[in-house]
Amino acid sequence: MAFINEHYLKLKAGYLFPEIGRRVKEYAQAHPDKKIIRMGIGDVTQPLVPAVIKAFHEGVEEMASAATFKGYDGAGLGYDFLREAIAKNDYQSRGVDIVTDDIFISDGSKCDTGNIQEIFGHDNKIAICDPVYPVYADTTVMSGKTGICMANGYFEGIIYMPCTEANGFVPELPKQRPDLIFLCFPNNPTGTITTKEVLKKWVDYAIANKSVILYDAAYEAYITDPSIPHSIYEVEGAKKVAIEFRSFSKTAGFTGTRCAFTVIPSEVVAYDSKGQAYPVKPLWMRRHTTKFNGVSYPVQKAAAAIYTEQGKKEVKEVINYYLENARIMTKSLTEAGYKVFGGVNAPYVWVKTKNGLKSWDFFDKLLHEVNVVGTPGSGFGPSGEGYFRFSAFADRNNVLEAMERIKKLVF
Ligand SMILES: Cc1ncc(COP(=O)(O)O)c(C=O)c1O
């Protein structure tokens, strides 16, 4: 008899995005004449930039000739040309001493943030923000580290760090000591950014508690303010206690192309049951090379193109396009009387609903009355109740039209 992993049964059945899809589909079928504007799922809408497309084509051409054909990418860690470009442009240029060997190329940060727990022991206590990118919580549940989902929406055994208006949507140091701490800045879903001072506090806390910070920087490319850190390694001591996740998805439109990377400096350690320290990099190397066989050569070549002068310029234009969307949304929603957060140095706008409406009620009102789709904040965790996320990854005309429609909503 085959047994299931019963921890999967603890997961909430209606995952956020399928439920949004179901409601939108139902409405669209009943109202085929209505033009629905979708600003819900955080997927990009603008095409890959010309420099990336050119490199992508060249990569494909190379695969067509025996002299330049590529098979497996060595051990599957990523080609050196991409890892070197990352180390140099994303880190060394900012004065951060990250080297090629610290970088593991993968097909997505979703997989990496989900899989990373495998190299840590079962008894680790995990701290996550509330609201949160759902992958950290769901994969913690799948790994069997939690109990059931309680009536308040929290899973037993996870240390939740509420991010509310009162704390500026920045988590406070938890009272209970965590072993692994997920942090994400610029934040999905709240669009909150952080400072070096705040990150230093977390790094010192992790050093003092022998914890490891799992730092998701999927949206770092949206930072325009030079005082905001792009990487946790810009903070002193972070190389001892932090693993960083980066993705080309939102940086360069790779959501459908798939390429990302994880950074693990040699200094990061975790402990065995006797208290002996082990570097975690070799464990991730072992996992990566055992369970993953690399990203395709044309994709890695395309990703490396974003580090050329032309690639940097073109990618920046697309990022500015989305940031301008976020600015328009923030301004319009504020003018329409909403309390708005995020949307600066981040592609997400986090809005407080009006009249204390619950997130899903606001979702239905928007869908039914003005045919605009966003994401209910409560879908990211209990502290998201009463909030709503709009994604700036939309077409400009749609953003403008959606904002005009929302201004007409009556409560
Ligand atoms: C915070 C965060 N991390 C990671 C990801 C996943 O990125 P990828 O496309 O590289 O899997 C997303 C995607 O929406 C995200 O919001």
Side-chain angles (χ1 to χ4, degrees):
M1 184 171 22
F3 298 99
I4 59 159
N5 175 351
E6 289 190 34
H7 302 301
Y8 277 61
L9 303 179
K10 298 172 191 165
L11 294 164
K12 280 175 269 179
Y15 180 68
L16 178 61
F17 294 109
E19 178 57 18
I20 291 175
R22 191 191 65 74
R23 291 192 193 203
V24 174
K25 192 171 166 200
E26 197 178 280
Y27 180 82
Q29 275 169 353
H31 306 87
D33 53 317
K34 300 283 190 198
K35 182 192 163 203
I36 298 172
I37 300 180
R38 290 175 169 79
M39 299 169 76
I41 296 178
D43 197 356
V44 293
T45 54
Q46 301 306 300
L48 294 171
V49 298
V52 165
I53 288 292
K54 182 169 170 283
F56 212 162
H57 279 294
E58 284 167 8
V60 172
E61 284 305 320
E62 285 177 57
M63 298 299 258
S65 142
T68 47
F69 171 79
K70 307 272 186 306
Y72 287 125
D73 142 23
L77 301 173
Y79 286 100
D80 277 351
F81 65 79
L82 178 57
R83 298 164 84 204
E84 278 161 15
I86 291 168
K88 183 164 160 266
N89 291 279
D90 284 329
Y91 295 100
Q92 291 158 11
S93 71
R94 292 184 187 282
V96 176
D97 181 25
I98 290 295
V99 294
T100 310
D101 260 9
D102 301 335
I103 295 163
F104 297 81
I105 306 295
S106 80
D107 61 353
S109 282
K110 185 183 210 174
C111 327
D112 288 352
T113 55
N115 290 329
I116 195 74
Q117 290 196 39
E118 256 189 53
I119 61 167
F120 293 98
H122 185 266
D123 293 333
N124 281 289
K125 281 267 172 261
I126 318 290
I128 61 169
C129 294
D130 163 31
V132 71
Y133 175 56
V135 173
Y136 320 146
D138 287 356
T139 53
T140 304
V141 175
M142 288 171 174
S143 73
K145 295 192 190 75
T146 75
I148 54 155
C149 185
M150 299 178 288
N152 64 359
Y154 282 173
F155 284 96
E156 280 172 354
I158 290 182
I159 301 171
Y160 287 91
M161 304 181 288
C163 298
T164 62
E165 207 178 325
N167 60 22
F169 302 101
V170 177
E172 285 148 38
L173 299 175
K175 291 188 183 70
Q176 190 188 347
R177 194 184 70 83
D179 304 301
L180 301 175
I181 304 161
F182 278 102
L183 294 177
C184 171
F185 293 108
N187 189 260
N188 177 14
T190 65
T192 310
I193 48 86
T194 193
T195 61
K196 277 191 189 163
E197 291 68 38
V198 169
L199 284 186
K200 177 84 174 90
K201 192 178 72 173
W202 280 98
V203 165
D204 290 347
Y205 177 81
I207 291 172
N209 289 299
K210 298 185 172 168
S211 313
V212 171
I213 296 173
L214 304 170
Y215 192 73
D216 188 342
Y219 298 97
E220 66 72 37
Y222 290 82
I223 297 170
T224 54
D225 179 338
S227 70
I228 299 172
H230 288 244
S231 163
I232 192 163
Y233 304 122
E234 289 177 48
V235 170
E236 199 200 325
K239 278 181 70 184
K240 288 188 209 140
V241 286
I243 292 175
E244 183 164 288
F245 304 94
R246 294 265 189 115
S247 171
F248 294 103
S249 285
K250 311 300 163 76
T251 302
F254 275 59
T255 53
T257 312
R258 312 306 302 148
C259 199
F261 60 94
T262 288
V263 183
I264 311 187
S266 303
E267 296 92 317
V268 182
V269 294
Y271 300 83
D272 70 6
S273 49
K274 296 182 194 77
Q276 187 182 334
Y278 289 84
V280 298
K281 180 152 88 173
L283 302 184
W284 185 248
M285 166 99 80
R286 190 72 172 88
R287 190 221 171 261
H288 206 64
T289 52
T290 302
K291 293 196 175 183
F292 186 68
N293 237 347
V295 172
S296 85
Y297 172 71
V299 168
Q300 293 196 55
K301 183 148 175 149
I306 77 160
Y307 296 106
T308 60
E309 281 317 305
Q310 185 62 16
K312 279 183 195 167
K313 194 172 135 277
E314 291 172 359
V315 161
K316 200 163 177 222
E317 276 167 25
V318 180
I319 287 168
N320 286 341
Y321 176 88
Y322 292 134
L323 282 173
E324 176 62 8
N325 282 349
R327 194 196 62 76
I328 292 169
M329 287 153 63
T330 303
K331 183 168 176 283
S332 308
L333 291 163
T334 307
E335 280 166 11
Y338 291 90
K339 234 177 170 181
V340 184
F341 307 91
V344 185
N345 297 297
Y348 293 118
V349 177
W350 187 243
V351 179
K352 194 167 186 171
T353 67
K354 277 193 190 169
N355 293 359
L357 266 191
K358 292 200 162 214
S359 302
W360 277 108
D361 293 339
F362 188 66
F363 174 91
D364 288 334
K365 187 174 171 69
L366 271 183
L367 175 62
H368 289 250
E369 295 179 22
V370 292
N371 311 139
V372 173
V373 179
T375 315
S378 57
F380 297 102
S383 295
E385 183 60 275
Y387 289 86
F388 208 70
R389 190 194 76 175
F390 287 106
S391 156
F393 297 119
D395 173 79
R396 178 68 46 74
N397 289 331
N398 281 344
V399 169
L400 293 168
E401 191 176 334
M403 292 303 116
E404 282 314 306
R405 291 189 196 176
I406 291 173
K407 280 183 185 167
K408 294 193 186 107
L409 264 185
V410 249
F411 285 85

